Amino acid sequence: MTRSLLMLMVLMLGFFSRVYAQEIYAGRYRAVFTKAPELVPTKKTPDGPLAGNGDIGLTLGGSPDQLSFYLGKNDFWRAYPVYPGGGIALPGWLEVNISALKGANYYAEQVQDKAFIKGEFTKNQLKVSLKAWVAATRNTVVAEFTANNACNLKLGLKSTEGNTSVNTAGVDGDVIWVTRSFENTPLLEWPSNVAMALKVLGANLEKDGSVDLKPNEKVTLTITMYTNQDRKDWKAATIKEAHSLTENKVTEIKEEHEAWWKDFWSQSKVEIGDPFIEKYYYASQYLFGATSRGDKFAPGIWGPFVTRDSAAWGGDYHLNYNYQAPYWAAYSSNHIDETANFDQPLLDYMDKGKQHAKALLHQKGIYYPVGMGPKGLVTTRWPLTPEEMEKRYATRENTIDGGYKFLGQKINAVFSVGNMLMRFYSTYDKAYTQKIYPYMLECANFWEDYLKFENGRYVIYMDHYGEVMPNLKNNGKWRDQLGDFNSTLSVGLVKMLFKGMIDVSSFLNVDASRIPKWKHIVQHMSDFTVGEVDGKLSLKGVEKSPSAWHSRIAGLARVSIHGLILPGGVCGPKTDSAFNQILLSDVSRWKERMKGSGEWGNTLGNGIETCFPAAVRVGYDSDEILKQLKDRINIQSLPNLWITAEGGGIETLSAVPLTINEMMMQSYEQTIRIFPNWNRFKDASFEQLRAYGAFLVSSRLEKSEIEYVELLSEAGRVCTIDNPWPVKKVQLLRNGQKAEVLSGKTFVFDTKVGESIHMTAK
């Protein structure tokens, strides 16, 4: 056997063993419930067991004798421009009443590697077992019941009523169906229809909705769901597909389901020897996988886990971080497919964005309000009558900014460019880049027009660090707070935009004549403003502001992080090490400002997904970050392992994965760094984390030594990587063959599409 063939076999064996290990490793961690959920239904994050396929979300609520299977769907909206009332809506739920279980013990698990809910409910000699799941590849929800002794199930399929919806129900042979529709009401931008159909397998469904559960025999409940966004024949297709389901068909669907999740878990892995953090790492990955699917509608603030109408903030796409943040960990975690739905709502709103820019600001380009929905829907109009405006905001002026909530912020459209650039740099996918380039170009058109060049620098007037609006607290008075100048949020994101424009247009070989202007903006953008606190330099949120709160020297905080570090990515130890030291000093003061455990970074309201990864990127001590992260999780999280925040929902799902990924591997400054912020005395490993340049990277740290680094080059780009063994020479193997020996602090070398690179210290 030749040496090259032996090496190839070793590499293949390592790959397959990693895939197998990933499947087992994700299965170590489950959410356990020993009492019935208390926050189901809710207008925010539910605390019950969850399952989903990135389109349909299943939330288990109720007690053992009155179980409720709430069914949410990312594409079922009441397309009305104001909330409450508008926003994502609840299709309905399935009630399963088991009177024999009144007062029974409650036990459930959220089994995350297989993506199902397991339940066991016991009373005296009766034990009823449940296994429920949302098919990963179909519009089907399955709930399987078994019992050791006979009992009766009473079923009720319900569609949510009210809020101007029209509801129908009926029976078609052995299928029970219900529908809910929003149509033909004033200001509704497009109709929404949903149908749900129930079929029972393994037992007879009586006319009164009851089913006899016999000892040790399985009864399977299937619910099929389609909306008019899925297909035009949404109702007929729902009923027809429900009819087609058999026990063999459900077995086939289950096999597809398990294969999909097996592939999901094979895409990346981390192992850090900390069961607490790993539990939330994998739970967050599971919940995002259950929340978002690339070929479906993008999830709103609460994902598909909606358990009542009029969810908080309409469950919309909030563009000043809530919409973008859930995706941030998916890029480095190599879950690119789950991010493919992000861009479409932004593209669909472009025509309206152009109208806003022209009518309200007399500008080119696009101008987006703070909140929107799918298909060009705006969700954040001010109340439509002066009376309602006064009731909610203490002023009758409901025509501010043409009746739309911009809240003093011009940067909302650019905020999303950060995600677009993360995916671009992570994949160098030409088709994707061509898709998002028109959006980026309109953002550039706006900011070329809006920026002012004064005294040798570009400055930004009247774009605000925080939301500025009338409310009950300020008695409707708010205009005296307008006037921010050079907000760190704005300066950072605009710089990010034009750096990205240069890279993206060069990649596509378009608009070369505009690049000199974009370079001039990047090179002459205003510096970030700093002041002095206790003899040390510290970041200011804005250069000047009429708001005392914004003009103070507050140091690095969530909003400024958005502009500078995440998603901005324009600051860091590689970009400007001296400025990075100022930011690191600011992070060190977070601990001094704590009033209690779990309050590090002031993330109870918002920002756990922002502040913790940012602290990693600037180089703060990793052990202290993990300690504070554990305290934060313990003070505010749910039994389903969803870490909660007062101001939002699914954005917290990126907090733990992104924090750990950034400790294992960084690339956001176009240089790959292996274990850049990790305690070298703690063993750790990662597999197939995705780096900028379209590289999949794996490595292991054991006994304070990095054993190897592996890279798979998807796009054949030049690789820049800091030497993982700074004082040693490094041997490269290309596709299993010995290649060059490298030395120095940082390496730059060519790669080919599909090439495997193995690096070891020589």
Side-chain angles (χ1 to χ4, degrees):
M1 182 180 294
T2 66
R3 179 178 175 83
S4 60
L5 182 58
L6 177 62
M7 180 62 71
L8 181 60
M9 290 180 65
V10 169
L11 290 172
M12 291 177 66
L13 180 62
F15 171 77
F16 288 116
S17 67
R18 282 202 300 270
V19 171
Y20 181 67
Q22 285 162 344
E23 180 183 4
I24 294 174
Y25 206 78
R28 288 187 176 192
Y29 301 109
R30 302 182 178 194
V32 175
F33 307 78
T34 56
K35 62 179 182 179
E38 298 176 355
L39 300 177
V40 181
T42 178
K43 66 178 182 178
K44 288 190 175 183
T45 307
D47 63 343
L50 305 173
N53 66 2
D55 176 32
I56 297 170
L58 167 61
T59 305
L60 180 62
S63 55
D65 60 318
Q66 295 180 323
L67 296 173
S68 295
F69 296 78
Y70 288 89
L71 301 171
K73 206 163 184 301
N74 279 339
D75 63 1
F76 187 63
W77 289 62
R78 182 173 184 250
Y80 184 74
V82 183
Y83 56 74
I88 197 162
L90 174 65
W93 66 96
L94 172 67
E95 293 179 353
V96 179
N97 296 325
I98 311 174
S99 59
L101 289 177
K102 186 173 180 61
N105 293 324
Y106 186 102
Y107 180 85
E109 293 179 0
Q110 192 171 272
V111 183
Q112 291 157 165
D113 60 326
K114 303 294 186 182
F116 66 81
I117 297 167
K118 173 184 176 182
E120 288 187 354
F121 314 111
T122 57
K123 182 181 179 182
N124 300 326
Q125 301 304 310
L126 175 63
K127 181 173 76 172
V128 176
S129 298
L130 163 70
K131 183 177 180 180
W133 40 283
V134 182
T137 59
R138 307 290 182 97
N139 284 44
T140 304
V141 179
V142 179
E144 302 169 340
F145 285 90
T146 57
N148 62 338
N149 291 314
C151 62
N152 182 265
L153 314 183
K154 186 71 176 292
L155 309 182
L157 184 63
K158 311 288 185 178
S159 61
T160 309
E161 297 182 351
N163 202 18
T164 74
S165 71
V166 176
N167 301 65
T168 64
V171 178
D172 190 315
D174 58 355
V175 171
I176 297 173
W177 58 266
V178 296
T179 71
R180 188 182 191 201
S181 298
F182 297 104
E183 294 180 314
N184 304 321
T185 55
L187 296 179
L188 201 70
E189 295 203 15
W190 32 269
S192 287
N193 307 284
V194 65
M196 299 185 294
L198 169 68
K199 184 178 181 181
V200 178
L201 304 174
N204 293 323
L205 176 62
E206 304 298 333
K207 290 184 178 180
D208 65 352
S210 64
V211 174
D212 288 328
L213 191 57
K214 298 178 181 179
N216 304 314
E217 293 187 9
K218 182 172 66 176
V219 170
T220 301
L221 314 181
T222 66
I223 304 172
T224 306
M225 292 181 69
Y226 280 107
T227 69
N228 60 319
Q229 314 302 335
D230 291 314
R231 49 194 303 166
K232 292 181 179 179
D233 60 341
W234 52 277
K235 179 181 175 182
T238 300
I239 297 171
K240 181 179 179 181
E241 190 163 316
H243 274 299
S244 72
L245 293 175
T246 62
E247 292 182 6
N248 288 339
K249 189 68 173 179
V250 170
T251 299
E252 177 186 325
I253 293 172
K254 183 183 290 185
E255 291 173 353
E256 293 175 1
H257 170 82
E258 292 178 351
W260 190 95
W261 280 98
K262 182 178 180 180
D263 179 67
F264 177 86
W265 292 118
S266 75
Q267 289 163 6
S268 65
K269 174 192 171 186
V270 301
E271 190 172 348
I272 61 173
D274 186 327
F276 182 91
I277 293 295
E278 287 183 353
K279 178 172 70 172
Y280 282 90
Y281 182 96
Y282 285 105
S284 296
Q285 300 280 29
Y286 163 73
L287 290 171
F288 185 72
T291 293
S292 181
R293 196 61 48 88
D295 59 349
K296 301 294 184 178
F297 275 40
I301 293 176
W302 316 108
F305 303 110
V306 177
T307 55
R308 53 170 283 186
D309 273 354
S310 292
W313 297 284
D316 72 354
Y317 305 154
H318 245 56
L319 299 183
N320 56 359
Y321 103 90
N322 305 80
Y323 180 58
Q324 298 86 354
Y327 296 87
W328 288 343
Y331 304 104
S332 58
S333 297
N334 195 29
H335 296 313
I336 297 297
D337 288 348
E338 279 62 64
T339 72
N341 54 24
F342 174 80
D343 310 286
Q344 196 59 50
L346 301 160
L347 301 178
D348 290 343
Y349 201 82
M350 283 180 64
D351 287 342
K352 288 184 178 178
K354 291 177 183 178
Q355 294 170 19
H356 295 326
K358 183 177 180 180
L360 300 176
L361 298 176
H362 310 292
Q363 296 280 149
K364 300 176 183 176
I366 52 177
Y367 177 39
Y368 280 27
V370 70
M372 52 175 274
K375 301 181 66 172
L377 173 68
V378 62
T379 58
T380 45
R381 290 276 299 272
W382 293 108
L384 300 179
T385 66
E387 291 76 19
E388 181 65 18
M389 183 76 181
E390 185 173 32
K391 178 182 176 182
R392 293 176 57 195
Y393 297 100
T395 176
R396 295 179 65 81
E397 188 182 4
N398 67 332
T399 57
I400 301 165
D401 291 330
Y404 296 87
K405 292 180 181 176
F406 291 91
L407 308 187
Q409 297 183 321
K410 312 294 190 303
I411 204 66
N412 289 320
V414 176
F415 218 124
S416 294
V417 172
N419 287 47
M420 295 175 179
L421 289 175
M422 287 181 191
R423 182 171 173 184
F424 164 70
Y425 291 127
S426 298
T427 64
Y428 282 88
D429 180 331
K430 188 172 183 180
Y432 172 75
T433 310
Q434 290 171 329
K435 176 182 177 181
I436 52 94
Y437 186 71
Y439 180 92
M440 292 181 60
L441 190 62
E442 291 300 337
C443 288
N445 290 339
F446 179 93
W447 283 97
E448 279 190 64
D449 206 13
Y450 192 80
L451 289 170
K452 305 297 181 187
F453 190 64
E454 298 177 353
N455 300 317
R457 63 174 184 157
Y458 288 94
V459 298
I460 300 175
Y461 289 91
M462 293 292 288
D463 192 19
H464 294 83
Y465 183 81
E467 298 174 349
V468 184
M469 58 185 290
N471 56 55
L472 298 176
K473 291 181 181 180
N474 61 26
N475 295 317
K477 297 179 181 179
W478 58 285
R479 284 191 169 84
D480 60 340
Q481 299 299 299
L482 293 172
D484 280 5
F485 175 75
N486 277 350
S487 156
T488 53
L489 173 67
S490 312
V491 171
L493 290 181
V494 170
K495 189 171 185 177
M496 172 202 74
L497 167 67
F498 285 106
K499 287 181 67 176
M501 289 303 303
I502 295 166
D503 293 338
V504 170
S505 64
S506 298
F507 176 71
L508 294 177
N509 196 26
V510 295
D511 291 321
S513 63
R514 299 185 65 173
I515 291 179
K517 172 68 173 180
W518 297 337
K519 287 184 176 179
H520 191 266
I521 292 173
V522 172
Q523 293 164 0
H524 295 85
M525 200 68 209
S526 291
D527 292 332
F528 301 112
T529 306
V530 297
E532 193 171 298
V533 176
D534 299 329
K536 294 183 178 180
L537 292 177
S538 182
L539 188 70
K540 289 186 67 176
V542 296
E543 188 171 330
K544 290 186 295 186
S545 174
S547 166
W549 183 255
H550 290 164
S551 58
R552 66 197 174 102
I553 305 172
L556 186 67
R558 174 179 61 88
V559 176
S560 51
I561 287 170
H562 289 154
L564 278 64
I565 302 171
L566 184 68
V570 295
C571 297
K574 289 285 184 182
T575 304
D576 187 338
S577 59
F579 184 65
N580 190 73
Q581 285 299 312
I582 297 173
L583 304 182
L584 181 56
S585 178
D586 279 344
V587 172
S588 70
R589 280 194 281 269
W590 289 356
K591 194 172 181 180
E592 300 170 7
R593 297 172 179 170
M594 290 173 57
K595 296 179 181 179
S597 177
E599 296 184 3
W600 192 73
N602 192 30
T603 63
L604 292 179
N606 300 94
I608 183 175
E609 71 296 313
T610 302
C611 294
F612 282 88
V616 176
R617 284 190 172 186
V618 301
Y620 192 69
D621 180 73
S622 61
D623 287 344
E624 183 64 25
I625 292 172
L626 292 178
K627 175 187 178 302
Q628 298 294 345
L629 183 57
K630 291 176 184 179
D631 288 347
R632 169 62 178 82
I633 292 170
N634 280 326
I635 202 171
Q636 200 165 287
S637 61
L638 299 175
N640 55 28
L641 306 182
W642 193 324
I643 305 165
T644 56
E646 293 301 318
I650 64 172
E651 68 262 27
T652 64
L653 303 182
S654 66
V656 177
L658 187 57
T659 298
I660 299 305
N661 290 356
E662 292 289 324
M663 289 179 173
M664 300 291 100
M665 187 273 293
Q666 293 176 14
S667 64
Y668 71 102
E669 293 177 284
Q670 309 300 332
T671 300
I672 297 173
R673 299 184 287 282
I674 306 300
F675 296 107
N677 190 356
W678 183 254
N679 184 338
R680 293 300 179 97
F681 294 100
K682 294 182 176 181
D683 292 352
S685 65
F686 62 90
E687 295 169 6
Q688 298 187 150
L689 293 184
R690 181 173 287 274
Y692 283 10
F695 298 101
L696 296 181
V697 186
S698 304
S699 185
R700 175 178 294 277
L701 175 69
E702 190 165 347
K703 296 179 181 179
S704 302
E705 294 289 336
I706 296 176
E707 293 187 347
Y708 64 89
V709 177
E710 292 179 355
L711 300 96
L712 176 65
S713 176
E714 286 189 343
R717 297 189 62 81
V718 172
C719 178
T720 302
I721 182 171
D722 279 352
N723 187 348
W725 306 273
V727 297
K728 297 181 180 180
K729 294 182 179 180
V730 175
Q731 176 70 62
L732 256 64
L733 277 70
R734 294 178 179 268
N735 294 330
Q737 298 291 323
K738 270 193 175 182
E740 61 264 51
V741 175
L742 304 175
S743 62
K745 184 178 180 181
T746 301
F747 307 145
V748 181
F749 53 85
D750 292 331
T751 70
K752 296 179 181 178
V753 174
E755 187 174 32
S756 174
I757 307 290
H758 188 90
M759 304 172 66
T760 54
K762 187 172 173 62

